[in-house]
Amino acid sequence: MLDWLRPREAAMTRLLEKFARAESPSFDKAAVDRFGRMVAAEWRRRGAKVERLKQRERGDHLRVEWNPSGNRATGQILVLGHMDTVYAAGTLARMPFRVSRGRAYGPGAFDMKGGLAIALFAVDALVAAGRAPEKRVIFLWTSDEEIGSGTSRAAIEREARRSDAVLVLEPAAGLDGRVKTGRKGVGEIEMMVTGRAAHAGLNPEDGVNAIEEIALQIAHISRWNRPRRGIMVNAGTIEGGTRTNVIPEKARVAVDVRADRAADMHALERKFRALRPILRGAKLQIRGGFSRPPMGRKASAALYATARSLAHEMGIPLGEAHVGGASDGNFTAALGVPTLDGLGAVGEGAHSPNENILIRALPERAALLASLLAAL
Ligand SMILES: [Zn+2]
């Protein structure tokens, strides 16, 4: 299949260009839906059954069923990807799609429209080789991964529970294309302080300084960091106060939390809930928590071994990586469904003006996905 795909490198790049030029910011339903119609048309042309999972505020998700074995199918494989990007509408003007020195640049090219193009060509290669997968394949293309998958999580988990394996087309790690066999759990915790306003010069003793309280709390929670154990606590945004001559009544901070182990995730949440005010008269409120549980290596080990040997047969070394970011693969791994992530494009600069993919890896990744679909 790699021999069939190699000469299609330019066609794959053209499809990626078409996808990258259809901007699809997570918060822009009309734009994501426009892109979704483009993706749906590609799948319908290949004889797949496309269902739109309609959403009111977010873009519609696409559930694509490709079942060349029909009634003889003996199980299900779920392939996950997202159509939304982090780039606001109009980014293309500053960051146009372009090809240079074997790389293709553009908003979402790497994260993860490259992965969407790879899936289509993997199916083409399987058809050309006459190697229909024995299992039914569900491709679930969602619209809100970059903003926490609030409207897609239920559909992802529903399909994962029916599946024997989940393959996630998120970007690979590093320019050597490592797949992701571990991801941290990720969440956001908001701390809100209410103090008491007073004149900073006339009666400061009547005030309770909310900013001071939140500063003390931040100093306290930042000691919970254990980088080597994979625990991360980062106060990311902060606001509070009104004027310099007022003892501030309100302050809030949003904290990013990450952990490698589910036990650490729960312990961290408990520690936040147990926080008490430090200054007398201050009130402290805690909201939020982990939104994606950690993805442990256990869920990926067997699939990774299969993928590595298939890649080896094609003459491609396939390494693995444990990464700090989370994806929808965290949800499926937490259900105990074998999950392999980072099977998408090879490149660098996700979520940055330099986002790009390695063009010569496009056929390799499509061949790897195709052979996995045929082997599982
Ligand atoms: Zn992504």
Side-chain angles (χ1 to χ4, degrees), residues 82 111-112 145-146 170-171:
H82 61 87
D111 187 8
M112 53 153 278
E145 195 274 345
E146 297 289 6
E170 286 286 346

Short mmCIF file of all heavy atoms in Angstrom, two decimals, residues 82 111-112 145-146 170-171, ligand 1:
data_model
loop_
_atom_site.label_atom_id
_atom_site.label_comp_id
_atom_site.label_asym_id
_atom_site.label_seq_id
_atom_site.Cartn_x
_atom_site.Cartn_y
_atom_site.Cartn_z
N HIS A 82 -10.55 15.48 14.86
CA HIS A 82 -11.39 16.67 15.03
C HIS A 82 -11.21 17.62 13.86
O HIS A 82 -10.15 17.70 13.25
CB HIS A 82 -11.11 17.38 16.36
CG HIS A 82 -9.70 17.88 16.53
ND1 HIS A 82 -9.30 19.11 16.09
CD2 HIS A 82 -8.61 17.31 17.10
CE1 HIS A 82 -8.02 19.28 16.40
NE2 HIS A 82 -7.57 18.20 17.01
N ASP A 111 -2.48 19.98 13.13
CA ASP A 111 -3.44 19.66 14.20
C ASP A 111 -4.83 20.12 13.80
O ASP A 111 -5.20 21.24 14.12
CB ASP A 111 -2.98 20.31 15.51
CG ASP A 111 -3.83 19.88 16.71
OD1 ASP A 111 -4.66 18.98 16.55
OD2 ASP A 111 -3.66 20.46 17.78
N MET A 112 -5.62 19.23 13.07
CA MET A 112 -5.12 17.98 12.57
C MET A 112 -5.76 17.64 11.22
O MET A 112 -6.24 16.55 11.01
CB MET A 112 -5.35 16.87 13.60
CG MET A 112 -6.82 16.75 14.10
SD MET A 112 -7.19 15.06 14.64
CE MET A 112 -7.54 14.36 13.02
N GLU A 145 -12.86 19.57 19.81
CA GLU A 145 -11.77 18.97 20.59
C GLU A 145 -10.87 20.02 21.22
O GLU A 145 -10.40 19.88 22.35
CB GLU A 145 -10.93 18.04 19.70
CG GLU A 145 -10.00 17.10 20.46
CD GLU A 145 -8.64 17.70 20.82
OE1 GLU A 145 -8.27 18.76 20.26
OE2 GLU A 145 -7.94 17.13 21.66
N GLU A 146 -10.64 21.09 20.49
CA GLU A 146 -9.71 22.11 20.98
C GLU A 146 -10.27 22.93 22.13
O GLU A 146 -9.56 23.70 22.75
CB GLU A 146 -9.30 23.06 19.83
CG GLU A 146 -8.55 22.39 18.69
CD GLU A 146 -7.13 21.96 19.06
OE1 GLU A 146 -6.74 22.07 20.23
OE2 GLU A 146 -6.40 21.50 18.16
N GLU A 170 -4.50 12.36 15.93
CA GLU A 170 -3.82 13.58 16.39
C GLU A 170 -2.38 13.56 15.87
O GLU A 170 -1.85 12.51 15.52
CB GLU A 170 -3.82 13.61 17.93
CG GLU A 170 -5.16 13.94 18.56
CD GLU A 170 -5.54 15.40 18.43
OE1 GLU A 170 -4.67 16.22 18.09
OE2 GLU A 170 -6.71 15.72 18.68
N PRO A 171 -1.73 14.74 15.84
CA PRO A 171 -0.35 14.81 15.36
C PRO A 171 0.59 13.85 16.09
O PRO A 171 0.40 13.55 17.25
CB PRO A 171 0.05 16.26 15.69
CG PRO A 171 -1.21 17.01 15.74
CD PRO A 171 -2.26 16.06 16.21
ZN ZN B 1 -5.67 18.12 17.89
#
